[in-house]
Amino acid sequence: MKKQSHQRFSLDVAGPGSGKTTSLIGSVKAYERTDDLRDVVVITYTNFARDRIEDGLFDLGVSNDEVFIGTIHSFLIRYVISPFAHKYEEEYPPDLKYAEVETSNIKDYVAKAIYLSKLMKKGVVPYGKVESFAKKLLMNKEVAKAVAGKLQAIFVDEYQDATTTHHAIFEILMKAGLDRFYCVGDSEQYIYGFTYQGRSRPLFEKIPMNVLIREKAFDKNYLETNWRSGAKIVNFLNHYVESERRQKPDPERQDEGSVTFIQSGDLGMALRLATESKGSDETMMVLAYTSSTLELEEFSAIPMGVRDSTTKYRTITGIITEYVCNFLRRSKQSIQDAEGLDEMGFRSKVVKLADAIESKDDFDVQAAQALIGKLFPVTSASNDATLFSSLDEYLYVVHAVKSRDTDDRQIVKMTIHKAKGLEADVVLVIASNNTELSKWINTDLSSRARDTNDTCRIGFVAFSRTRRDLYIVCKEDINEINMEALIKLGADKCLTRN
């Protein structure tokens, strides 16, 4: 069981499958608020993670009214730029707008900087400038003190993805009097060095996650159990980390899982082996570093997995809440007020609607409207206009609810970067060549630390997506050196060519 830290600043070092997000959710829930006038903030690096945290906190009875949950950009815009940009930088108009700005056609660095500066003075802040602009504002001690005073606590998920700019911003707020700062992450899953976009990338030992591990002012807690993977996969992954960060498998788990490499470059055979090991109700991912590998003929029939843009990864309750509000033509808050419902009461009714849509094959748009009338009788009765709900909108809701299980049983292919944070029962990982594979299975800590291009850690992230069976293959026959290295790591070899 995770111990709760009582220090102002704390860090959970959490390897793959140890429950980073669960740990953060538990820390937020356990945090005792002492001032309702100051905000508690949870920062994530993807909308997908935000939805998971929002759902997890809601299940524990923590509503959006109590905690701000958002990406680093939304946090900086809401708490730093919007309230302080015009006040302390008078050349900027009070109503700023934020937009994606294409500057790839401007090759000269100085010309690009001048162009962006003029845009900002016109009131358009490019998303790419949000972080540096917020940091500039926070360099003013009055701004830093005001922001820190507005916040009671900051919780940050996936801190290995924090850039040096993010870290500098958090340091400023901590020094300005922030009461509580908590973060969780795993530096071995740091594969976003490309986000520095032309700026000098830090050495691995100097990424923010590793800086905090050495920071004496931070209370450190190591989450040692990998709840995701079988023992063989956990032991395979333990070769990549220092002794104090090695994990233990779930002691209650019966199956050990497997790690197998296919010596030949027969991708079709590798796919068949992996597919045959997948149960009918299980998940499988095919992973590669580049999308070009996934576009090969052997994988043409497998759909490309996506995240953040499909109903599978949107919050089901959020989709149905939007449908109910559109149907009743009322805001969620006005419906709650009319029905006398708190957040949990409203959610329970939304879940009943979702269950009815999912469990009844003959449940159509009229049945949905009738059930909404029963679930929210006061609002329905007081609505003097004809209730409205289009068939297309209802069918969208049906697809979202019905696909939340069936979509999970698909075999999907994804780039390794896209798969970060996801998991599957069976994972097939494809290296482009022996050079790439040799970097992925390199467990020498010093050489891995010198890799500023994240190549070594790409393999670790891919391998650690696996719940039970991991298959490793290369587009060319695996050479003797790599084969010996894989066997030393505990992988079994498959020599079959047909």
Side-chain angles (χ1 to χ4, degrees):
M1 180 178 291
K2 177 195 164 184
K3 65 178 182 179
Q4 292 297 330
S5 172
H6 298 288
Q7 289 194 209
R8 286 180 62 200
F9 310 137
S10 61
L11 163 69
D12 279 351
V13 182
S18 60
K20 286 188 286 295
T21 302
T22 301
S23 176
L24 179 140
I25 290 170
S27 294
V28 175
K29 174 63 176 174
Y31 179 67
E32 296 180 4
R33 297 188 64 160
T34 58
D35 185 349
D36 289 337
L37 297 179
R38 292 189 293 158
D39 294 352
V40 174
V41 167
V42 178
I43 296 173
T44 72
Y45 287 93
T46 65
N47 291 326
F48 173 62
R50 180 200 62 203
D51 287 348
R52 287 178 62 196
I53 292 169
E54 185 176 287
D55 274 0
L57 286 173
F58 205 106
D59 288 342
L60 294 176
V62 180
S63 72
N64 289 352
D65 298 333
E66 300 174 75
V67 179
F68 168 83
I69 306 171
T71 62
I72 183 70
H73 277 181
S74 63
F75 164 72
L76 294 175
I77 289 170
R78 175 169 176 168
Y79 287 95
V80 182
I81 298 177
S82 292
F84 297 108
H86 178 65
K87 184 176 181 180
Y88 288 90
E89 300 285 344
E90 293 182 359
E91 67 265 36
Y92 300 110
D95 297 321
L96 294 172
K97 295 179 175 60
Y98 305 88
E100 291 286 355
V101 176
E102 179 58 54
T103 59
S104 59
N105 59 323
I106 307 175
K107 304 302 180 184
D108 182 74
Y109 179 81
V110 175
K112 185 182 295 187
I114 292 173
Y115 171 71
L116 292 175
S117 177
K118 287 181 178 179
L119 266 184
M120 291 178 67
K121 288 178 181 178
K122 290 180 180 178
V124 179
V125 180
Y127 284 121
K129 297 291 289 183
V130 165
E131 296 167 15
S132 59
F133 187 36
K135 181 183 174 184
K136 176 185 175 184
L137 289 169
L138 287 168
M139 296 298 288
N140 182 308
K141 292 184 178 179
E142 289 185 21
V143 175
K145 188 174 180 180
V147 175
K150 172 68 176 173
L151 305 174
Q152 191 166 344
I154 294 178
F155 297 83
V156 187
D157 192 25
E158 302 284 4
Y159 204 72
Q160 74 276 355
D161 296 335
T163 67
T164 50
T165 300
H166 304 159
H167 184 62
I169 287 170
F170 296 137
E171 279 192 317
I172 290 170
L173 293 175
M174 284 185 273
K175 290 176 181 176
L178 180 69
D179 282 0
R180 176 85 166 91
F181 182 84
Y182 162 94
C183 58
V184 60
D186 176 18
S187 53
E188 283 301 326
Q189 296 187 61
Y190 164 69
I191 58 171
Y192 286 109
F194 65 85
T195 57
Y196 283 90
Q197 297 178 342
R199 293 170 290 159
S200 178
R201 298 183 184 185
L203 295 172
F204 182 63
E205 64 179 15
K206 293 187 177 180
I207 65 170
M209 181 72 194
N210 285 336
V211 169
L212 287 190
I213 288 175
R214 298 190 299 272
E215 176 57 61
K216 294 181 179 178
F218 269 71
D219 180 38
K220 267 80 71 176
N221 181 43
Y222 291 82
L223 306 185
E224 61 179 16
T225 302
N226 183 327
W227 303 101
R228 173 189 300 156
S229 306
K232 284 190 176 180
I233 298 163
V234 173
N235 292 335
F236 181 86
L237 297 173
N238 278 340
H239 289 90
Y240 289 84
V241 298
E242 303 95 328
S243 57
E244 66 269 19
R245 296 176 63 181
R246 288 176 184 162
Q247 295 181 292
K248 299 175 183 177
D250 178 359
E252 301 296 322
R253 182 167 178 159
Q254 298 300 313
D255 66 290
E256 293 187 330
S258 67
V259 181
T260 305
F261 67 90
I262 292 84
Q263 184 182 10
S264 75
D266 188 338
L267 302 182
M269 184 194 71
L271 179 60
R272 288 194 300 275
L273 285 172
T275 304
E276 288 168 3
S277 72
K278 185 185 84 70
S280 60
D281 61 345
E282 293 182 327
T283 59
M284 176 174 159
M285 290 195 294
V286 179
L287 304 179
Y289 180 56
T290 63
S291 57
S292 60
T293 297
L294 300 172
E295 291 166 0
L296 294 172
E297 183 179 353
E298 289 88 343
F299 312 114
S300 60
I302 302 174
M304 184 69 80
V306 294
R307 60 193 295 173
D308 291 340
S309 60
T310 69
T311 56
K312 177 183 172 184
Y313 295 117
R314 280 191 62 193
T315 308
I316 295 297
T317 53
I319 293 172
I320 296 182
T321 295
E322 183 179 356
Y323 175 73
V324 168
C325 291
N326 287 344
F327 174 69
L328 295 174
R329 296 197 294 186
R330 296 287 187 89
S331 69
K332 175 185 169 186
Q333 189 58 58
S334 68
I335 295 172
Q336 286 183 226
D337 291 343
E339 304 290 340
L341 297 171
D342 60 11
E343 283 281 342
M344 295 301 291
F346 182 88
R347 182 185 176 93
S348 68
K349 291 179 180 290
V350 165
V351 170
K352 285 181 181 178
L353 179 56
D355 289 343
I357 292 171
E358 184 173 27
S359 61
K360 299 178 181 179
D361 292 334
D362 60 347
F363 199 80
D364 57 13
V365 63
Q366 287 79 23
Q369 292 175 2
L371 181 55
I372 291 174
K374 291 179 181 179
L375 293 172
F376 305 99
V378 178
T379 314
S380 300
S382 64
N383 198 324
D384 54 6
T386 302
L387 300 180
F388 170 78
S389 177
S390 72
L391 180 60
D392 286 345
E393 186 180 10
Y394 176 71
L395 291 176
Y396 174 80
V397 173
V398 171
H399 171 72
V401 174
K402 298 274 190 184
S403 65
R404 59 178 167 177
D405 289 328
T406 55
D407 280 356
D408 280 351
R409 290 195 284 271
Q410 286 183 326
I411 301 174
V412 297
K413 58 187 178 184
M414 304 180 83
T415 63
I416 296 169
H417 280 93
K418 293 279 188 182
K420 189 168 177 289
L422 304 180
E423 59 186 60
D425 297 291
V426 180
V427 174
L428 172 62
V429 182
I430 310 157
S432 295
N433 49 53
N434 274 287
T435 301
E436 183 173 75
L437 179 59
S438 68
K439 293 177 180 178
W440 288 0
I441 60 177
N442 175 17
T443 60
D444 179 71
L445 295 178
S446 59
S447 63
R448 287 170 63 79
R450 292 193 298 272
D451 176 20
T452 58
N453 291 322
D454 313 330
T455 313
C456 291
R457 291 176 292 279
I458 288 286
F460 181 86
V461 169
F463 303 148
S464 60
R465 301 306 92 206
T466 315
R467 292 195 195 109
R468 192 189 66 241
D469 295 327
L470 169 62
Y471 291 88
I472 302 169
V473 69
C474 186
K475 287 165 63 176
E476 59 189 21
D477 287 2
I478 296 177
N479 62 31
E480 290 293 327
I481 295 175
N482 284 339
M483 190 163 60
E484 290 177 9
L486 283 163
I487 292 172
K488 189 175 180 180
L489 292 176
D492 298 317
K493 62 181 178 180
C494 174
L495 300 175
T496 306
R497 278 188 172 272
N498 47 44

